[in-house]
Amino acid sequence: QVQLVESGGGLVQAGGSLRLSCAASTRTFSAYAIGWFRQAPGKERESVAAINWNGGRTYYLDSVKGRFTVSRDNAKNAVYLQMNNLNPDDTAVYYCAADPLWSRVIATSAPAYWGQGTQVTVSS
């Protein structure tokens, strides 16, 4: 069982930055790949970024490449999503999710464990 808690969301103006954090409660954190997902009102959930167990492999949605950076600190049981140059299209609830399999953390609805989400709102 893995419990995930996101934090760091909020309201920011277009062009601004936010750093999301995902804290995990498990003794085997390094066994899990972590994905970041988002869901905007009226839209389907989409995979935004992901990182494998040691940070050696990452994935980004095309629309966030060059603006978002995913990283992890296994000593702190934490994963981060640095989001720069935000625009209103990035407005959504952001979720982190964990799964031992890489293929599941980049597939919407596939990961085994999910956090409760944090709201990100970007004003124009």
Side-chain angles (χ1 to χ4, degrees):
Q1 188 74 15
V2 180
Q3 292 184 326
L4 303 170
V5 178
E6 302 95 337
S7 61
L11 174 64
V12 64
Q13 289 186 334
S17 298
L18 284 173
R19 188 194 194 205
L20 304 184
S21 297
C22 174
S25 60
T26 173
R27 293 183 179 182
T28 58
F29 181 67
S30 62
Y32 293 89
I34 305 293
W36 285 98
F37 297 79
R38 68 185 180 187
Q39 188 166 20
K43 295 185 178 181
E44 293 186 353
R45 186 175 297 182
E46 62 182 354
S47 175
V48 176
I51 189 165
N52 76 334
W53 71 277
N54 66 352
R57 185 177 186 180
T58 57
Y59 159 83
Y60 295 98
L61 181 68
D62 282 347
S63 62
V64 308
K65 286 181 180 177
R67 300 190 297 122
F68 290 13
T69 303
V70 61
S71 61
R72 68 188 294 160
D73 185 340
N74 286 343
K76 296 183 178 180
N77 276 21
V79 172
Y80 309 100
L81 186 66
Q82 178 67 43
M83 305 186 296
N84 297 328
N85 194 22
L86 287 160
N87 61 65
D89 289 339
D90 296 316
T91 295
V93 178
Y94 283 71
Y95 302 86
C96 65
D99 199 280
L101 296 181
W102 171 256
S103 60
R104 291 183 181 172
V105 297
I106 58 174
T108 306
S109 301
Y113 305 102
W114 291 83
Q116 84 289 348
T118 186
Q119 176 70 47
V120 171
T121 303
V122 185
S123 62
S124 58

